[in-house]
Amino acid sequence: ITRIQLALKGEQEALTRCVREALADLTRELLNAAKREADAFGTICVVGNPCMQQLFLGISPKNLAGVPFAPVLTQTEISRAGDVIALWGDAALLTVPDISGYVGADTVGCVLTTQMDRSDEITLMVDIGTNGEMVMGSRARMVACSTAAGPALEGANIRFGMRAADGAIDHVTVENGEICCHVLGGGEARGICGSGLIDAVVALKELGLVNRRGRLQTQEQFEGDLAVRLSGEVWLTQNDVRQMQLAKGAISAGIGLMARHLGIEVGQIDRLLLAGAFGSFIRVESACRIGLLPQELLEKAQAVGNAAGSGAKRAARSRKAFEHTQELAREIEFLELASLPDFQHEFARGMWI
């Protein structure tokens, strides 16, 4: 939303330039690693959420700023890649369509990779970032939604939040009644990432330091906010817990309402697929223990890595797979959670830990 607002204030060209320069830098890294020249490319496929896709292509994200939040990129397209990034030359640039204004080509890529649309098993695919995009269903029918999960699970809006890099607390446990933190890179803790945040709340719950409403049960404070010291100078504050609860409430509500829309119980879901960095790092037991993910799906969960990126590779290497993305974008139903009468109730209930 910050990017959309900035673009509408006249900074769209700067944002587009930033995205393209970053992709050009990544391209050079790939070429150097593979010891190849730029003309080695024949086909390039880029997937992303609708805002990032439109900024990359130089299209105003104005459509994402107001009702009905309709997507612009609704058709597969093939263009000259060099017209977007000169380094890409005469390679073909594939545009994968979006499902809705807030469920993009990255989600289509995830479905293409997992092939959940070709299975009789009911699958829930979860890709959580700033938005939590989820798809539920089988070959018979699929529904998607976007939950306003907020950036907490990516480390943003958290007092000591950071991405999963060296210095980040990525896992927290309780040993002999004490909080124990694992730090990426093995050095001193500099902050905490999303997986560490979830673990930390579970640890506080185990120690009786947070109640079901998310209120910290401590007298300690950090910068005027109730807080618990995790490691060194890294604290978890009351506001951090609230940010996690907002994300949890939105995701939990989305899962429950999608199941209801399909006429099934959550326990009838056969597979839970966790995509992206969140799915790779999270301790599923912790996510289920606080209700971020349904407890019934604990034994059915598996990480599928960068499924969006894998989907882009499939589309780039197979014309049939690329054309199938059009079918997926058209056939997957979009569920607008905020318009459902039960959303507020489910969201509030989902905030309990």
Side-chain angles (χ1 to χ4, degrees), residues 219-239:
Q219 298 302 313
E220 288 191 285
Q221 293 193 359
F222 181 84
E223 295 182 348
D225 198 4
L226 290 176
V228 174
R229 187 192 297 272
L230 296 178
S231 177
E233 297 303 314
V234 177
W235 294 71
L236 188 75
T237 71
Q238 181 66 73
N239 181 67

Side-chain angles (χ1 to χ4, degrees), residues 1-8 51 61 64-65 69 102 130-131 148:
I1 291 174
T2 303
R3 292 168 186 155
I4 294 169
Q5 292 173 339
L6 199 59
L8 298 185
C51 178
L64 304 175
F69 307 104
Y102 279 91
T130 301
N131 283 331

Side-chain angles (χ1 to χ4, degrees), residues 252-262 335 337 340 342-343 346:
S252 175
I255 293 173
L257 291 170
M258 282 199 298
R260 192 176 304 173
H261 185 73
L262 291 175
L335 186 63
L337 297 177
L340 300 178
D342 292 339
F343 175 71
E346 293 294 328

Side-chain angles (χ1 to χ4, degrees), residues 67-84:
V67 177
F69 307 104
V72 168
L73 303 171
T74 59
Q75 302 292 323
T76 54
E77 292 186 11
I78 303 177
S79 55
R80 182 178 178 274
D83 293 339
V84 179

